[in-house]
């Protein structure tokens, strides 16, 4: 019988000799060029990290290819980043350029460091998720193809972090991203009583609704939905397959902007809704791609050096953002859930 | 899938400069029938603009209540190899460091038992082995366990803890995030493998306030490295930055959120008013050669982060401004156990820790878990005066 509760492998076995030698004794780092960071240790040792974009959904043969590169250039050591990029690390400066060329030859983009667009954190979407309003991988591929130049440059106003979630469960830090692409539903669930009767816990289902739109329906041994209160978050569908929320005609994508996770200069902030709906038009979602590009280009044009998207918007005011980005403001952008009041403008000092 | 099933929409996504997940799916499809079905299945979703996966049933391995996500296609007549296509989460090593031998070992095991498709990594941090049949779950796990790997968390349990790259490569790390992540994961194996709680619980560890694992954004318990003395400034390096053309006044001092930094242009000297510094990391980020974190290092503990469902997304908020964070992390473990006990006792089904504290109030949380109220817990005190008083605080 296999051993259980053994936990993950000890990371220390996976650290290269140079990293083990200088563990906790790094002195500073510099951005050498897009995709290349140099760390210098107190000992004087220098470590080059070369960052490569990856589609996250990869075959084992992709991993084996990456291993071949790591064997040839990095003595068999590598890591992945929290945004699904790959980092090859070497102390040998002479390996850096050949490694970069080898990566490019394999179609692997070198970039995502410093003031660049990094990889898009995303979810399973239609590939494997049971509650998706859209596909994640397809949108990510489309947007990264379109914004590719920003991954391989590092001279944007600031870092640009885009994330994508195929539904409101947001399996990733979509809610605190510079630009968030979010799968949304727009129609109330269609209730299949026979499925609910078969095995759904009614109290849990009733309790799961953020707006209290679900009530028990004892006559049908099921539930009923007050459609006026339903905002189609789909959480009930997560709780029971009898609450069918997938709607091919009306599901789509919303865009939110202005979030960040770091504490530098300003507190971490939420991404905020600016475009309530764009249609699902696979395979390349042109409306989504164009909307994201527009926001990125507007930010690049108007932001001051060092301003993340949200910091730029807070400085100029959200009203100016809608104007500069030429995005129509909608009542749907105004909060009407439990923390709404904090977002209302209780001041006459605004811009026209 | 039907032999003549073409995938024109997915084929379109093989074009373009960004590496293509479709290419990866096709590579796996060459060797594995389920991966081949997955291509056709995804193309169907692109045609129908709709997902085709049923709600997962409970599947797993012996001894565990989680780590495997059950997944079944809702069109198995067309894609028989996707009738069951489950995901296994494999707990990643701290900081996602690997040797090529280790990665190849995982690839070889997965090739023998599953679709050959993976995510490196899932959002929580685990390696995702994407797609295998029910009767392959135990054999896959057995081989992985023999090779030294274990499953990650899923369901209403402790999810696999994650951390930033930490002292392995980053000079900013204020505590050993990698070691703490490894230590906690081993300490809390029971909580991780056997779902017993109201809902999920995530711990994420970042070495500094840059928070490169987005702990504040999404962890029930965020551990953010910090210091309690003063930043260390090397004036020679400051001068070097100034001479290289860096606008220290504009980019560094003017952007300090608390105006704690002062650049004396004539002498090229940068000084800080220590008590005004909020340790946000901005100046260190811009001038890493010249400014370093303080020497008395530790971490801030914040609670409550989560995504949208149910009561809105929360960011975690300060609970302990400063705690020394050194192995074996006894003080942290004591605190987290008290928090878990309290949440388990008081939380409703599927109520996250942050939602529970929001529902019952910080006052009750602090009293019952045994934490002192400190002003660092709030941006600003309450405006509304609806204050609760306890029996023993009033005169009868």
């Amino acid at each position: 019988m296999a051993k259980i509760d053994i936990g993950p492998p000890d990371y220390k076995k996976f650290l290269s000799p140079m990293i083990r030698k200088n563990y906790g004794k790094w002195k500073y780092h510099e951005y050498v060029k897009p995709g290349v960071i140099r760390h210098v240790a107190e000992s004087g040792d220098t470590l080059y990290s070369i960052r490569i974009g990856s589609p996250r959904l990869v075959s084992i043969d992709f991993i084996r290819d990456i291993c071949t590169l790591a064997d040839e250039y990095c003595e068999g050591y590598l890591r992945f980043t929290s945004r699904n990029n790959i980092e090859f690390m070497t102390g040998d400066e002479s390996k850096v350029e050949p490694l970069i060329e080898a990566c490019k030859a394999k179609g692997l983009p070198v970039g995502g460091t410093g003031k660049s667009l990094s990889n898009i954190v995303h979810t399973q979407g239609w590939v494997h998720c049971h509650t998706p309003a859209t596909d994640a991988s397809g949108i990510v591929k489309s947007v990264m193809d379109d914004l590719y130049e920003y991954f391989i440059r590092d001279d944007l106003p600031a870092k640009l972090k885009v994330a994508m979630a195929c539904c409101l469960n947001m399996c990733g830090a979509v809610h605190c991203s510079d630009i968030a692409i979010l799968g949304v539903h727009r129609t109330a669930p269609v209730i299949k009583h026979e499925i609910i009767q078969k095995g759904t816990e009614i109290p849990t289902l009733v309790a799961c609704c953020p707006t209290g739109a679900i009530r028990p329906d004892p006559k049908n041994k099921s539930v009923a939905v007050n459609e006026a209160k339903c905002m189609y978050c789909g959480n009930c569908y997560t709780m029971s397959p009898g609450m069918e929320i997938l709607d091919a005609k009306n599901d789509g994508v919303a865009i939110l902007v202005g979030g960040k996770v770091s504490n530098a200069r300003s507190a971490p902030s939420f991404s905020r809704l600016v475009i309530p709906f764009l249609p699902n038009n696979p395979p390349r979602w042109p409306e989504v791609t164009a909307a994201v590009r527009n926001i990125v280009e507007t930010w690049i044009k108007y932001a001051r050096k060092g301003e993340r998207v949200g910091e730029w918007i807070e400085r100029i005011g959200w009203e100016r953002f809608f104007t500069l980005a030429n995005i129509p403001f909608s009542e749907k952008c105004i909060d009407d859930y439990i923390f709404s009041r904090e977002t209302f403008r209780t001041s006459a000092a605004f811009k026209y | 899938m039907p032999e003549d099933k073409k995938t024109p929409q997915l084929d379109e996504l093989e074009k373009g400069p960004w590496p293509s997940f479709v290419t990866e799916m096709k590579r796996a499809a060459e060797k594995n029938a389920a991966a081949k079905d997955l291509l056709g299945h995804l193309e169907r979703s692109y045609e129908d603009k709709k997902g085709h996966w049923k709600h997962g049933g409970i599947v797993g391995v012996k001894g565990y209540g989680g780590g495997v996500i059950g997944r079944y296609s809702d069109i198995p007549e067309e894609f028989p190899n996707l009738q069951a296509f489950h995901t296994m989460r494999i707990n990643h090593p701290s900081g996602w460091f690997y040797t090529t031998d280790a990665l190849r070992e995982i690839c070889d095991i997965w090739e023998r038992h599953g679709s050959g498709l993976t995510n490196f990594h899932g959002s929580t941090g685990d390696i995702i082995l994407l797609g295998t049949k029910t009767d392959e779950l135990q054999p896959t796990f057995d081989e992985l366990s023999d090779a030294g790997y274990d499953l990650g968390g899923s369901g209403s349990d402790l999810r696999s803890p994650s951390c930033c790259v930490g002292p392995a490569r980053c000079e900013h790390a204020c505590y050993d995030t990698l070691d703490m992540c490894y230590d906690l994961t081993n300490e809390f194996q029971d909580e991780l493998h056997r779902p017993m709680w109201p809902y999920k619980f995530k711990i994420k560890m970042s070495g500094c306030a840059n928070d490169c694992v987005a702990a504040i954004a999404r962890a029930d318990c965020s551990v953010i490295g910090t210091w309690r003395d003063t930043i260390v400034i090397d004036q020679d390096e400051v001068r070097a930055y100034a001479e290289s053309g860096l606008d220290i006044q504009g980019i560094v001092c003017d952007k300090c959120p608390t105006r704690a930094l002062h650049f004396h242009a004539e002498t090229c000297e940068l000084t800080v008013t220590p008590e005004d510094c909020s340790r946000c990391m901005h100046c260190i980020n811009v001038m890493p050669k010249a400014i370093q974190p303080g020497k008395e290092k530790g971490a801030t503990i914040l609670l409550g982060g989560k995504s949208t469902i149910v009561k809105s997304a929360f960011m975690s908020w300060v609970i302990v401004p400063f705690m020394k964070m050194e192995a074996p992390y006894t003080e942290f473990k004591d605190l987290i156990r008290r928090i878990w006990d309290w949440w388990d006792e008081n939380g409703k089904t599927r109520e996250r820790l942050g939602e529970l504290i929001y529902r019952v109030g910080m006052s009750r949380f602090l009293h019952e878990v045994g934490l002192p109220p400190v002003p660092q817990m709030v941006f600003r005190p309450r405006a509304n005066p609806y204050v609760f008083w306890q029996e023993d605080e009033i005169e009868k």
Side-chain angles (χ1 to χ4, degrees), chain A residues 3 5 23 29 59 65 71 128 135 141 175 237, chain B residues 18 24 27 46 55 64 100 104 145 171 176 217:
Chain A
K3 289 209 277 268
D5 293 274
Y23 193 94
H29 69 281
S59 64
D65 289 346
D71 280 341
H128 209 226
D135 187 38
K141 167 71 169 143
H175 55 292
Y237 183 54
Chain B
W18 190 253
E24 293 306 311
R27 286 174 91 174
Y46 274 56
H55 283 54
Y64 288 170
T100 50
R104 281 196 206 96
S145 174
E171 73 272 24
D176 193 338

PDB file of all heavy atoms in Angstrom, chain A residues 3 5 23 29 59 65 71 128 135 141 175 237, chain B residues 18 24 27 46 55 64 100 104 145 171 176 217:
ATOM      1  N   LYS A   3       2.405   4.869   0.591  1.00  0.00           N
ATOM      2  CA  LYS A   3       2.407   5.722   1.780  1.00  0.00           C
ATOM      3  C   LYS A   3       1.517   6.939   1.503  1.00  0.00           C
ATOM      4  O   LYS A   3       1.511   7.494   0.415  1.00  0.00           O
ATOM      5  CB  LYS A   3       3.830   6.202   2.088  1.00  0.00           C
ATOM      6  CG  LYS A   3       4.732   5.089   2.611  1.00  0.00           C
ATOM      7  CD  LYS A   3       5.807   5.631   3.537  1.00  0.00           C
ATOM      8  CE  LYS A   3       6.991   6.175   2.772  1.00  0.00           C
ATOM      9  NZ  LYS A   3       8.044   5.202   2.539  1.00  0.00           N
ATOM     10  N   ASP A   5       0.037  10.813   3.259  1.00  0.00           N
ATOM     11  CA  ASP A   5       0.439  11.927   4.125  1.00  0.00           C
ATOM     12  C   ASP A   5       1.945  12.155   4.109  1.00  0.00           C
ATOM     13  O   ASP A   5       2.530  12.506   5.137  1.00  0.00           O
ATOM     14  CB  ASP A   5      -0.024  11.689   5.583  1.00  0.00           C
ATOM     15  CG  ASP A   5      -1.531  11.715   5.701  1.00  0.00           C
ATOM     16  OD1 ASP A   5      -2.088  12.802   5.862  1.00  0.00           O
ATOM     17  OD2 ASP A   5      -2.150  10.634   5.616  1.00  0.00           O
ATOM     18  N   TYR A  23      21.628  31.118  -0.543  1.00  0.00           N
ATOM     19  CA  TYR A  23      20.264  31.129  -0.003  1.00  0.00           C
ATOM     20  C   TYR A  23      20.154  32.157   1.119  1.00  0.00           C
ATOM     21  O   TYR A  23      20.873  32.092   2.102  1.00  0.00           O
ATOM     22  CB  TYR A  23      19.942  29.741   0.523  1.00  0.00           C
ATOM     23  CG  TYR A  23      18.496  29.457   0.855  1.00  0.00           C
ATOM     24  CD1 TYR A  23      17.656  28.870  -0.085  1.00  0.00           C
ATOM     25  CD2 TYR A  23      17.966  29.747   2.113  1.00  0.00           C
ATOM     26  CE1 TYR A  23      16.332  28.580   0.208  1.00  0.00           C
ATOM     27  CE2 TYR A  23      16.641  29.460   2.415  1.00  0.00           C
ATOM     28  CZ  TYR A  23      15.840  28.873   1.452  1.00  0.00           C
ATOM     29  OH  TYR A  23      14.531  28.575   1.754  1.00  0.00           O
ATOM     30  N   HIS A  29      19.128  43.006  -7.376  1.00  0.00           N
ATOM     31  CA  HIS A  29      18.874  42.483  -8.712  1.00  0.00           C
ATOM     32  C   HIS A  29      18.760  43.631  -9.704  1.00  0.00           C
ATOM     33  O   HIS A  29      18.532  44.778  -9.307  1.00  0.00           O
ATOM     34  CB  HIS A  29      17.606  41.624  -8.742  1.00  0.00           C
ATOM     35  CG  HIS A  29      16.341  42.413  -8.557  1.00  0.00           C
ATOM     36  ND1 HIS A  29      15.917  42.844  -7.328  1.00  0.00           N
ATOM     37  CD2 HIS A  29      15.428  42.854  -9.453  1.00  0.00           C
ATOM     38  CE1 HIS A  29      14.784  43.514  -7.459  1.00  0.00           C
ATOM     39  NE2 HIS A  29      14.471  43.543  -8.740  1.00  0.00           N
ATOM     40  N   SER A  59       1.496  19.706 -22.645  1.00  0.00           N
ATOM     41  CA  SER A  59       1.642  18.247 -22.686  1.00  0.00           C
ATOM     42  C   SER A  59       2.901  17.863 -21.907  1.00  0.00           C
ATOM     43  O   SER A  59       3.781  18.697 -21.662  1.00  0.00           O
ATOM     44  CB  SER A  59       1.779  17.788 -24.135  1.00  0.00           C
ATOM     45  OG  SER A  59       2.979  18.318 -24.678  1.00  0.00           O
ATOM     46  N   ASP A  65      10.569  18.851 -23.223  1.00  0.00           N
ATOM     47  CA  ASP A  65      11.358  19.805 -24.034  1.00  0.00           C
ATOM     48  C   ASP A  65      12.014  20.849 -23.145  1.00  0.00           C
ATOM     49  O   ASP A  65      13.181  21.215 -23.332  1.00  0.00           O
ATOM     50  CB  ASP A  65      10.459  20.539 -25.046  1.00  0.00           C
ATOM     51  CG  ASP A  65       9.989  19.637 -26.166  1.00  0.00           C
ATOM     52  OD1 ASP A  65      10.557  18.527 -26.315  1.00  0.00           O
ATOM     53  OD2 ASP A  65       9.053  20.036 -26.885  1.00  0.00           O
ATOM     54  N   ASP A  71      18.550  21.050 -18.929  1.00  0.00           N
ATOM     55  CA  ASP A  71      19.734  20.191 -18.811  1.00  0.00           C
ATOM     56  C   ASP A  71      20.918  20.824 -19.530  1.00  0.00           C
ATOM     57  O   ASP A  71      22.037  20.862 -19.017  1.00  0.00           O
ATOM     58  CB  ASP A  71      19.461  18.813 -19.424  1.00  0.00           C
ATOM     59  CG  ASP A  71      18.677  17.922 -18.473  1.00  0.00           C
ATOM     60  OD1 ASP A  71      18.664  18.222 -17.252  1.00  0.00           O
ATOM     61  OD2 ASP A  71      18.080  16.936 -18.942  1.00  0.00           O
ATOM     62  N   HIS A 128     -12.142  22.062 -19.197  1.00  0.00           N
ATOM     63  CA  HIS A 128     -12.378  21.076 -18.142  1.00  0.00           C
ATOM     64  C   HIS A 128     -13.326  21.517 -17.039  1.00  0.00           C
ATOM     65  O   HIS A 128     -13.626  20.738 -16.145  1.00  0.00           O
ATOM     66  CB  HIS A 128     -11.032  20.674 -17.507  1.00  0.00           C
ATOM     67  CG  HIS A 128     -11.030  19.281 -16.953  1.00  0.00           C
ATOM     68  ND1 HIS A 128     -10.523  18.980 -15.708  1.00  0.00           N
ATOM     69  CD2 HIS A 128     -11.477  18.118 -17.452  1.00  0.00           C
ATOM     70  CE1 HIS A 128     -10.656  17.668 -15.483  1.00  0.00           C
ATOM     71  NE2 HIS A 128     -11.219  17.133 -16.537  1.00  0.00           N
ATOM     72  N   ASP A 135     -14.629  30.167 -22.595  1.00  0.00           N
ATOM     73  CA  ASP A 135     -13.389  29.416 -22.530  1.00  0.00           C
ATOM     74  C   ASP A 135     -12.283  30.345 -22.050  1.00  0.00           C
ATOM     75  O   ASP A 135     -12.283  31.535 -22.342  1.00  0.00           O
ATOM     76  CB  ASP A 135     -13.001  28.823 -23.889  1.00  0.00           C
ATOM     77  CG  ASP A 135     -11.800  27.894 -23.761  1.00  0.00           C
ATOM     78  OD1 ASP A 135     -11.732  27.162 -22.747  1.00  0.00           O
ATOM     79  OD2 ASP A 135     -10.933  27.916 -24.639  1.00  0.00           O
ATOM     80  N   LYS A 141      -5.050  32.881 -25.344  1.00  0.00           N
ATOM     81  CA  LYS A 141      -4.232  32.762 -26.559  1.00  0.00           C
ATOM     82  C   LYS A 141      -4.497  33.955 -27.481  1.00  0.00           C
ATOM     83  O   LYS A 141      -3.575  34.572 -28.012  1.00  0.00           O
ATOM     84  CB  LYS A 141      -4.540  31.431 -27.243  1.00  0.00           C
ATOM     85  CG  LYS A 141      -4.013  31.279 -28.654  1.00  0.00           C
ATOM     86  CD  LYS A 141      -2.508  31.127 -28.729  1.00  0.00           C
ATOM     87  CE  LYS A 141      -2.121  30.715 -30.149  1.00  0.00           C
ATOM     88  NZ  LYS A 141      -0.859  31.337 -30.591  1.00  0.00           N
ATOM     89  N   HIS A 175      -9.736  39.205  -9.307  1.00  0.00           N
ATOM     90  CA  HIS A 175     -10.400  40.365  -8.721  1.00  0.00           C
ATOM     91  C   HIS A 175      -9.424  41.453  -8.306  1.00  0.00           C
ATOM     92  O   HIS A 175      -9.845  42.490  -7.807  1.00  0.00           O
ATOM     93  CB  HIS A 175     -11.268  39.924  -7.536  1.00  0.00           C
ATOM     94  CG  HIS A 175     -10.527  39.156  -6.495  1.00  0.00           C
ATOM     95  ND1 HIS A 175     -10.021  37.897  -6.707  1.00  0.00           N
ATOM     96  CD2 HIS A 175     -10.186  39.468  -5.224  1.00  0.00           C
ATOM     97  CE1 HIS A 175      -9.424  37.471  -5.630  1.00  0.00           C
ATOM     98  NE2 HIS A 175      -9.500  38.397  -4.702  1.00  0.00           N
ATOM     99  N   TYR A 237     -25.770  26.880  -9.555  1.00  0.00           N
ATOM    100  CA  TYR A 237     -25.402  25.808 -10.483  1.00  0.00           C
ATOM    101  C   TYR A 237     -24.209  25.018  -9.940  1.00  0.00           C
ATOM    102  O   TYR A 237     -24.131  23.801 -10.083  1.00  0.00           O
ATOM    103  CB  TYR A 237     -25.097  26.388 -11.863  1.00  0.00           C
ATOM    104  CG  TYR A 237     -24.778  25.367 -12.929  1.00  0.00           C
ATOM    105  CD1 TYR A 237     -25.653  24.314 -13.201  1.00  0.00           C
ATOM    106  CD2 TYR A 237     -23.617  25.466 -13.682  1.00  0.00           C
ATOM    107  CE1 TYR A 237     -25.370  23.386 -14.196  1.00  0.00           C
ATOM    108  CE2 TYR A 237     -23.332  24.547 -14.680  1.00  0.00           C
ATOM    109  CZ  TYR A 237     -24.210  23.508 -14.928  1.00  0.00           C
ATOM    110  OH  TYR A 237     -23.925  22.596 -15.919  1.00  0.00           O
TER     111      TYR A 237
ATOM    112  N   TRP B  18       2.051  33.566 -29.635  1.00  0.00           N
ATOM    113  CA  TRP B  18       2.022  33.032 -28.266  1.00  0.00           C
ATOM    114  C   TRP B  18       1.944  31.513 -28.330  1.00  0.00           C
ATOM    115  O   TRP B  18       1.216  30.969 -29.152  1.00  0.00           O
ATOM    116  CB  TRP B  18       0.831  33.624 -27.493  1.00  0.00           C
ATOM    117  CG  TRP B  18       0.880  33.298 -26.030  1.00  0.00           C
ATOM    118  CD1 TRP B  18       0.086  32.410 -25.362  1.00  0.00           C
ATOM    119  CD2 TRP B  18       1.779  33.834 -25.060  1.00  0.00           C
ATOM    120  NE1 TRP B  18       0.434  32.353 -24.038  1.00  0.00           N
ATOM    121  CE2 TRP B  18       1.472  33.212 -23.819  1.00  0.00           C
ATOM    122  CE3 TRP B  18       2.823  34.752 -25.105  1.00  0.00           C
ATOM    123  CZ2 TRP B  18       2.175  33.500 -22.637  1.00  0.00           C
ATOM    124  CZ3 TRP B  18       3.512  35.044 -23.940  1.00  0.00           C
ATOM    125  CH2 TRP B  18       3.189  34.425 -22.715  1.00  0.00           C
ATOM    126  N   GLU B  24      -0.371  21.885 -27.851  1.00  0.00           N
ATOM    127  CA  GLU B  24      -0.096  20.973 -26.745  1.00  0.00           C
ATOM    128  C   GLU B  24      -1.133  19.864 -26.671  1.00  0.00           C
ATOM    129  O   GLU B  24      -0.805  18.701 -26.431  1.00  0.00           O
ATOM    130  CB  GLU B  24      -0.054  21.745 -25.424  1.00  0.00           C
ATOM    131  CG  GLU B  24       1.133  22.704 -25.336  1.00  0.00           C
ATOM    132  CD  GLU B  24       2.444  21.986 -25.589  1.00  0.00           C
ATOM    133  OE1 GLU B  24       2.663  20.923 -24.970  1.00  0.00           O
ATOM    134  OE2 GLU B  24       3.238  22.470 -26.415  1.00  0.00           O
ATOM    135  N   ARG B  27      -0.362  17.392 -29.329  1.00  0.00           N
ATOM    136  CA  ARG B  27       0.794  16.539 -29.005  1.00  0.00           C
ATOM    137  C   ARG B  27       0.360  15.388 -28.114  1.00  0.00           C
ATOM    138  O   ARG B  27       0.776  14.250 -28.298  1.00  0.00           O
ATOM    139  CB  ARG B  27       1.863  17.355 -28.281  1.00  0.00           C
ATOM    140  CG  ARG B  27       2.620  18.291 -29.179  1.00  0.00           C
ATOM    141  CD  ARG B  27       3.554  19.170 -28.355  1.00  0.00           C
ATOM    142  NE  ARG B  27       4.873  18.553 -28.217  1.00  0.00           N
ATOM    143  CZ  ARG B  27       5.910  19.148 -27.642  1.00  0.00           C
ATOM    144  NH1 ARG B  27       5.778  20.348 -27.107  1.00  0.00           N
ATOM    145  NH2 ARG B  27       7.066  18.547 -27.569  1.00  0.00           N
ATOM    146  N   TYR B  46     -16.705  25.021 -28.563  1.00  0.00           N
ATOM    147  CA  TYR B  46     -16.542  26.229 -29.373  1.00  0.00           C
ATOM    148  C   TYR B  46     -17.700  26.385 -30.348  1.00  0.00           C
ATOM    149  O   TYR B  46     -18.150  27.492 -30.616  1.00  0.00           O
ATOM    150  CB  TYR B  46     -15.208  26.204 -30.121  1.00  0.00           C
ATOM    151  CG  TYR B  46     -14.038  26.739 -29.312  1.00  0.00           C
ATOM    152  CD1 TYR B  46     -13.707  26.200 -28.064  1.00  0.00           C
ATOM    153  CD2 TYR B  46     -13.260  27.788 -29.780  1.00  0.00           C
ATOM    154  CE1 TYR B  46     -12.654  26.691 -27.315  1.00  0.00           C
ATOM    155  CE2 TYR B  46     -12.188  28.284 -29.044  1.00  0.00           C
ATOM    156  CZ  TYR B  46     -11.894  27.732 -27.813  1.00  0.00           C
ATOM    157  OH  TYR B  46     -10.843  28.228 -27.079  1.00  0.00           O
ATOM    158  N   HIS B  55     -21.349  18.038 -13.479  1.00  0.00           N
ATOM    159  CA  HIS B  55     -20.857  18.230 -12.115  1.00  0.00           C
ATOM    160  C   HIS B  55     -20.143  16.954 -11.665  1.00  0.00           C
ATOM    161  O   HIS B  55     -20.634  15.844 -11.883  1.00  0.00           O
ATOM    162  CB  HIS B  55     -22.023  18.508 -11.169  1.00  0.00           C
ATOM    163  CG  HIS B  55     -22.520  19.905 -11.276  1.00  0.00           C
ATOM    164  ND1 HIS B  55     -22.893  20.458 -12.459  1.00  0.00           N
ATOM    165  CD2 HIS B  55     -22.688  20.866 -10.332  1.00  0.00           C
ATOM    166  CE1 HIS B  55     -23.279  21.714 -12.249  1.00  0.00           C
ATOM    167  NE2 HIS B  55     -23.163  21.981 -10.965  1.00  0.00           N
ATOM    168  N   TYR B  64      -7.798   9.363   1.613  1.00  0.00           N
ATOM    169  CA  TYR B  64      -7.954  10.804   1.428  1.00  0.00           C
ATOM    170  C   TYR B  64      -9.400  11.159   1.082  1.00  0.00           C
ATOM    171  O   TYR B  64     -10.082  10.388   0.414  1.00  0.00           O
ATOM    172  CB  TYR B  64      -7.074  11.291   0.269  1.00  0.00           C
ATOM    173  CG  TYR B  64      -5.590  11.321   0.539  1.00  0.00           C
ATOM    174  CD1 TYR B  64      -4.701  11.552  -0.500  1.00  0.00           C
ATOM    175  CD2 TYR B  64      -5.059  11.135   1.809  1.00  0.00           C
ATOM    176  CE1 TYR B  64      -3.338  11.593  -0.296  1.00  0.00           C
ATOM    177  CE2 TYR B  64      -3.688  11.164   2.028  1.00  0.00           C
ATOM    178  CZ  TYR B  64      -2.834  11.398   0.973  1.00  0.00           C
ATOM    179  OH  TYR B  64      -1.467  11.436   1.176  1.00  0.00           O
ATOM    180  N   THR B 100      15.161  18.532 -13.482  1.00  0.00           N
ATOM    181  CA  THR B 100      14.607  17.906 -14.684  1.00  0.00           C
ATOM    182  C   THR B 100      14.291  16.435 -14.410  1.00  0.00           C
ATOM    183  O   THR B 100      13.326  15.891 -14.947  1.00  0.00           O
ATOM    184  CB  THR B 100      15.584  18.037 -15.859  1.00  0.00           C
ATOM    185  OG1 THR B 100      16.881  17.592 -15.444  1.00  0.00           O
ATOM    186  CG2 THR B 100      15.684  19.490 -16.300  1.00  0.00           C
ATOM    187  N   ARG B 104      10.674  14.836 -15.164  1.00  0.00           N
ATOM    188  CA  ARG B 104      10.535  13.695 -16.079  1.00  0.00           C
ATOM    189  C   ARG B 104       9.875  12.515 -15.382  1.00  0.00           C
ATOM    190  O   ARG B 104       9.105  11.774 -16.019  1.00  0.00           O
ATOM    191  CB  ARG B 104      11.906  13.277 -16.617  1.00  0.00           C
ATOM    192  CG  ARG B 104      12.380  14.163 -17.729  1.00  0.00           C
ATOM    193  CD  ARG B 104      13.516  13.504 -18.485  1.00  0.00           C
ATOM    194  NE  ARG B 104      14.320  14.556 -19.079  1.00  0.00           N
ATOM    195  CZ  ARG B 104      15.418  15.055 -18.553  1.00  0.00           C
ATOM    196  NH1 ARG B 104      15.919  14.568 -17.468  1.00  0.00           N
ATOM    197  NH2 ARG B 104      16.043  16.045 -19.148  1.00  0.00           N
ATOM    198  N   SER B 145       3.292   8.347  -5.113  1.00  0.00           N
ATOM    199  CA  SER B 145       3.701   8.270  -3.709  1.00  0.00           C
ATOM    200  C   SER B 145       5.039   7.546  -3.567  1.00  0.00           C
ATOM    201  O   SER B 145       5.932   7.992  -2.838  1.00  0.00           O
ATOM    202  CB  SER B 145       2.624   7.555  -2.896  1.00  0.00           C
ATOM    203  OG  SER B 145       3.069   7.354  -1.575  1.00  0.00           O
ATOM    204  N   GLU B 171      16.293  39.042  -2.735  1.00  0.00           N
ATOM    205  CA  GLU B 171      16.935  39.736  -1.624  1.00  0.00           C
ATOM    206  C   GLU B 171      15.931  40.430  -0.715  1.00  0.00           C
ATOM    207  O   GLU B 171      16.275  40.860   0.379  1.00  0.00           O
ATOM    208  CB  GLU B 171      17.962  40.751  -2.142  1.00  0.00           C
ATOM    209  CG  GLU B 171      17.373  42.008  -2.780  1.00  0.00           C
ATOM    210  CD  GLU B 171      17.076  41.865  -4.274  1.00  0.00           C
ATOM    211  OE1 GLU B 171      16.885  40.732  -4.749  1.00  0.00           O
ATOM    212  OE2 GLU B 171      17.027  42.916  -4.959  1.00  0.00           O
ATOM    213  N   ASP B 176      11.845  33.018   5.692  1.00  0.00           N
ATOM    214  CA  ASP B 176      12.042  31.914   4.754  1.00  0.00           C
ATOM    215  C   ASP B 176      10.689  31.356   4.326  1.00  0.00           C
ATOM    216  O   ASP B 176      10.161  30.416   4.924  1.00  0.00           O
ATOM    217  CB  ASP B 176      12.912  30.829   5.410  1.00  0.00           C
ATOM    218  CG  ASP B 176      13.421  29.813   4.390  1.00  0.00           C
ATOM    219  OD1 ASP B 176      12.801  29.693   3.314  1.00  0.00           O
ATOM    220  OD2 ASP B 176      14.422  29.134   4.686  1.00  0.00           O
ATOM    221  N   ALA B 217      -4.824  39.140  -1.768  1.00  0.00           N
ATOM    222  CA  ALA B 217      -5.970  39.088  -2.670  1.00  0.00           C
ATOM    223  C   ALA B 217      -6.787  37.823  -2.494  1.00  0.00           C
ATOM    224  O   ALA B 217      -7.984  37.809  -2.764  1.00  0.00           O
ATOM    225  CB  ALA B 217      -5.506  39.200  -4.118  1.00  0.00           C
TER     226      ALA B 217
END
